[in-house]
Amino acid sequence: MKIPDVNGLLNYHIKGDEALLHLGHDRYEIAGIGAELHPASPEHLSQILKFAPAGRTSTVHLPYSVVLDHDDTDTIRDFVFAGGSKISGFVLHDSMSYRDDISSGIEYIKRLSSKLEGKTDAFVCVEFAVGLPFEVYFDLIMQIKDLPNIGACIDIGHIGINATVADFYRTHPSIYVRDLKPDPGMSLETFYKIEQSTLAGRNCAFKYIEQICKSGAYVHFHLHDGHPMSTFSPYGVCDHLPFFMEIPTLLPEIGAIGGMYGVSGLRHILELAITNIPQRRRTFTLEVHPQPGAKKVVREHMKYFANWSDMTNAYAMNYWIELVIQNSIIFKDLCRDILSD
């Protein structure tokens, strides 16, 4: 069996012009991975489609404003057609409105499916994104899984962090665990309670992910690590970390800790995916956000930055791309190991 392809994020998380996307495209192409693009409109997708490495299962994350709690089906159809044969899948956020009533969402999804059927091979995957109870999300997926061109998107960080928050809340309803950040004044008792809930969240996430893997749905995976005490994200979230990230606790007795999954957790998730989902019905993106750091741009890529007088953001972009590529190597090694068992 072929080692699965994997994509990496490629967008303007770091400020700059198209030189940054050229750099990411070239490095991803050399590394043998695809891209997950973030276009603002179908027209914008047509402009940036050139940054999707050829021959890969590149994907697109639709704008967060495009949600099927109202009729955005024509807009999504236009995105899909703009992607042509270079884009295998499109990620669409779910909606908190589904908590009270998933029937209208299902009707919109059916309407979208009918507009895509027979006109494209691409899938639109509804992501577990906004914090719905997993049971509601799973019910939604079970009702749409057989629709043409429709799938699920499992963000393992969202599932794991949400499960961790829920576990901590059961015993500490007056404390929001996401607010408990690294602090030298934190008691060891509090730290160990956070770690206990993080482990419980991890194990709960494994069960949820296994349910989706065995559901028969087409599944796109957003892969990244996380931990409720992480402060690395420039967007204030506690996930979207590399799988080898160390998180300082500022507690001298503890030092730094790993993410909630780590490489061993990623291996377990990939084993669930590879074992239970046919190759043609699963895709993967390393949804790792930029982290603090810099890496110089090599000579052959400096052609893109001829007009740049300040290379700070170029070096930051190159460091981010390096992190994604390092995680892609881990991904491929784990898949190779699983397939050889």
Side-chain angles (χ1 to χ4, degrees):
M1 188 182 295
K2 177 179 176 288
I3 293 175
D5 287 336
V6 66
N7 304 329
L9 282 188
L10 186 58
N11 59 17
Y12 288 119
H13 275 317
I14 295 169
K15 291 183 179 179
D17 56 29
E18 281 197 348
L20 298 177
L21 301 186
H22 279 293
L23 173 66
H25 166 271
D26 287 7
R27 293 209 60 200
Y28 282 176
E29 200 159 64
I30 293 168
I33 66 177
E36 183 154 303
L37 305 173
H38 278 237
S41 66
E43 295 74 22
H44 184 219
L45 175 55
S46 297
Q47 294 168 15
I48 65 173
L49 199 57
K50 60 190 176 186
F51 298 114
R56 299 292 166 185
T57 55
S58 290
T59 45
V60 160
H61 198 305
L62 295 169
Y64 303 137
S65 60
V66 177
V67 182
L68 285 181
D69 56 12
H70 58 283
D71 194 352
D72 264 346
T73 54
D74 283 351
T75 300
I76 297 169
R77 177 203 59 199
D78 292 346
F79 270 104
V80 173
F81 291 169
S85 61
K86 291 194 74 173
I87 303 298
S88 67
F90 295 77
V91 175
L92 171 77
H93 276 189
D94 56 3
S95 169
M96 191 53 74
S97 69
Y98 299 165
R99 176 194 285 267
D100 301 318
D101 177 22
I102 64 172
S103 61
S104 61
I106 290 171
E107 286 307 309
Y108 288 133
I109 294 169
K110 287 180 177 178
R111 192 176 304 174
L112 173 65
S113 174
S114 68
K115 292 180 180 181
L116 301 179
E117 185 178 6
K119 299 172 184 173
T120 177
D121 292 328
F123 277 76
V124 175
C125 300
V126 182
E127 181 181 2
F128 181 87
V130 300
L132 285 173
F134 180 78
E135 294 76 15
V136 174
Y137 177 79
F138 186 71
D139 185 19
L140 173 74
I141 296 306
M142 291 304 291
Q143 294 193 54
I144 65 174
K145 68 183 180 68
D146 295 322
L147 294 174
N149 303 97
I150 301 295
C153 175
I154 291 302
D155 185 302
I156 68 171
H158 295 169
I159 285 184
I161 294 295
N162 284 358
T164 297
V165 170
D167 184 86
F168 195 85
Y169 180 80
R170 278 191 284 271
T171 53
H172 303 83
S174 63
I175 303 173
Y176 190 43
V177 69
R178 293 177 193 250
D179 293 336
L180 298 174
K181 298 306 181 186
D183 183 348
M186 179 183 288
S187 70
L188 286 176
E189 180 184 9
T190 299
F191 169 78
Y192 286 124
K193 286 177 179 176
I194 294 171
E195 284 296 274
Q196 185 177 19
S197 287
T198 302
L199 178 59
R202 179 184 195 256
N203 291 334
C204 186
F206 287 154
K207 293 177 183 177
Y208 289 161
I209 293 166
E210 183 173 11
Q211 282 183 257
I212 294 290
C213 289
K214 291 181 176 179
S215 70
Y218 179 102
V219 186
H220 181 61
F221 291 85
H222 276 169
L223 304 175
H224 52 88
D225 215 337
H227 193 283
M229 287 201 296
S230 171
T231 60
F232 285 110
S233 172
Y235 306 105
V237 296
C238 54
D239 53 354
H240 295 281
L241 301 177
F243 287 99
F244 47 73
M245 202 80 175
E246 288 196 330
I247 302 158
T249 65
L250 305 185
L251 298 171
E253 305 93 334
I254 304 298
I257 56 175
M260 70 182 306
Y261 291 117
V263 174
S264 63
L266 174 61
R267 188 191 194 284
H268 182 65
I269 292 166
L270 293 177
E271 194 165 25
L272 288 173
I274 290 171
T275 302
N276 293 290
I277 308 173
Q279 183 173 326
R280 68 185 184 282
R281 292 183 63 81
R282 50 173 158 81
T283 48
F284 303 89
T285 287
L286 290 162
E287 202 182 27
V288 174
H289 283 175
Q291 303 299 324
K295 181 179 176 62
K296 287 188 175 181
V297 176
V298 298
R299 182 181 301 172
E300 55 263 39
H301 295 142
M302 282 299 296
K303 60 187 177 184
Y304 300 127
F305 301 96
N307 297 322
W308 284 45
S309 57
D310 183 349
M311 292 291 289
T312 301
N313 284 3
Y315 292 173
M317 180 75 175
N318 205 29
Y319 181 75
W320 173 31
I321 296 300
E322 180 69 18
L323 289 178
V324 175
I325 291 172
Q326 288 175 7
N327 278 263
S328 77
I329 293 170
I330 292 170
F331 172 93
K332 291 177 181 180
D333 285 346
L334 290 174
C335 290
R336 190 175 293 110
D337 183 50
I338 292 166
L339 291 169
S340 67
D341 283 350

